[in-house]
């Protein structure tokens, strides 16, 4: 007697594929535990951000992002276009007339976050969105050394950036608790050299706070404090 063929589907004993919950709209997954820990921009507690060495590009605004062992996790790219943008590199007084656009990309060069500063915006704010341009929130400056992170029309965090050598920028949540720190201590954390700074995010943050903090931390020297 011959047995009928098994119905199509997952073979017996095959691993169950991971859930795609949270994959829509580019929402990052939560930090896995134990050996399943996957290194990503959203899960590493320490990120080392370094300006890329591009000998053929003048005043390049591309940054590499690494973990503390030196493994590349992603990058930040200035994708602004046009003559005025190129002129603003050399003449900062024209920068206000240029729409600035930045992309945060993962290790596979896929865009995970976008930042846009509209031209002639009186608040000089940056709008943060997901890869499909779904809005997340805004980064709004307050004076020379402070920024406010806004999402769903509410303040969710604040950034203080002391203007001094060896600076440490601190990001605090709405309760005033420190949730991230940005500083020039790369030599103590990673073998990555050059023009480098370190981002420390000790605890996994919920959305939209996680995306807003990451966008701020990875562009604070490239875009926000320029």
């Amino acid at each position: 007697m011959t047995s009928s063929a098994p119905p199509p589907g997952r073979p017996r004993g095959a691993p169950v594929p991971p859930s795609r919950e949270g994959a829509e709209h580019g929402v990052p997954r939560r930090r896995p535990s134990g050996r399943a820990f996957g290194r990503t921009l959203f899960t590493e507690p320490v990120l080392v951000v370094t300006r890329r060495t591009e000998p053929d590009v003048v005043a390049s605004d591309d940054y590499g992002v690494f973990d503390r062992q030196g493994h590349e996790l992603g990058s930040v790219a200035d994708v602004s276009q046009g003559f005025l943008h190129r002129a603003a590199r050399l003449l900062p007084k024209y920068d206000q007339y240029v729409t600035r656009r930045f992309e945060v990309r993962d290790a596979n060069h896929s865009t995970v976050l976008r930042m846009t500063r509209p031209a002639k915006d009186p608040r000089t704010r940056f709008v943060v969105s997901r890869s499909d341009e779904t809005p997340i929130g805004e980064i709004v400056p307050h004076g020379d050394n402070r920024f406010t992170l806004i999402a769903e029309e509410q303040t969710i965090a604040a950034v203080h950036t002391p203007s001094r050598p060896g600076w440490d920028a601190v990001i605090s949540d709405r309760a005033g608790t420190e949730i991230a720190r940005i500083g020039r201590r790369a030599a103590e954390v990673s073998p990555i050299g050059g023009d480098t700074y370190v981002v420390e995010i000790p605890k996994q943050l919920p959305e939209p706070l996680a995306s807003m903090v990451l966008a701020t931390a990875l562009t604070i020297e490239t875009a926000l404090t320029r």
Side-chain angles (χ1 to χ4, degrees):
M1 179 181 298
T2 59
S3 59
S4 59
R10 182 172 56 88
R12 180 177 299 178
V16 178
S19 171
R20 293 184 59 82
E21 181 180 358
E24 300 297 328
H25 304 298
V27 178
R29 294 175 179 172
R30 299 292 294 175
R31 185 199 309 257
S33 59
R35 294 186 178 181
F37 174 42
R39 292 184 173 91
T40 74
L41 293 170
F42 289 95
T43 59
E44 277 294 285
V46 176
L47 301 173
V48 182
V49 187
T50 180
R51 183 184 292 274
R52 295 178 180 276
T53 302
E54 301 285 354
D56 297 329
V57 179
V58 178
S60 173
D61 279 336
D62 288 357
Y63 281 63
V65 186
F66 303 81
D67 66 12
R68 54 186 152 189
Q69 282 78 42
H71 302 118
E72 185 166 11
L73 300 174
S75 60
V76 180
D78 184 346
V79 294
S80 308
Q81 297 179 354
F83 170 78
L84 282 178
H85 168 60
R86 293 191 295 272
R89 291 178 181 271
L90 303 176
L91 301 171
K93 66 179 181 179
Y94 292 115
D95 192 54
Q96 61 180 311
Y97 301 106
V98 179
T99 295
R100 300 294 303 275
R101 294 184 175 90
F102 293 84
E103 292 183 357
V104 176
R105 299 166 179 168
D106 63 18
N108 295 319
H109 308 291
S110 298
T111 300
V112 293
L113 295 173
R114 301 179 189 273
M115 289 181 60
T116 302
R117 190 206 64 192
K120 299 182 180 180
D121 190 320
R123 293 187 298 169
T124 325
R125 65 194 173 101
F126 273 86
V127 179
V128 181
S129 61
R130 304 204 184 281
S131 59
D132 61 359
E133 300 189 357
T134 301
I136 302 174
E138 297 181 355
I139 304 171
V140 181
H142 290 281
D144 294 332
N145 300 321
R146 289 185 178 274
F147 297 89
T148 298
L149 309 188
I150 300 173
E152 299 175 351
E153 300 183 352
Q154 295 184 359
T155 297
I156 60 173
V159 187
H160 180 248
T161 59
S163 55
R164 65 174 185 272
W167 53 270
D168 270 358
V170 175
I171 304 179
S172 303
D173 63 16
R174 71 177 75 191
T177 302
E178 180 178 317
I179 55 176
R181 182 174 288 265
I182 310 162
R184 292 191 174 280
R185 296 199 299 260
E188 304 171 11
V189 180
S190 171
I192 302 295
D195 185 4
T196 306
Y197 68 91
V198 175
V199 178
E200 299 174 75
I201 309 176
K203 295 182 180 180
Q204 186 79 30
L205 302 173
E207 286 295 328
L209 184 59
S211 291
M212 292 298 295
V213 167
L214 185 67
T216 302
L218 296 188
T219 60
I220 194 166
E221 195 173 46
T222 315
L224 301 179
T225 57
R226 178 158 298 181

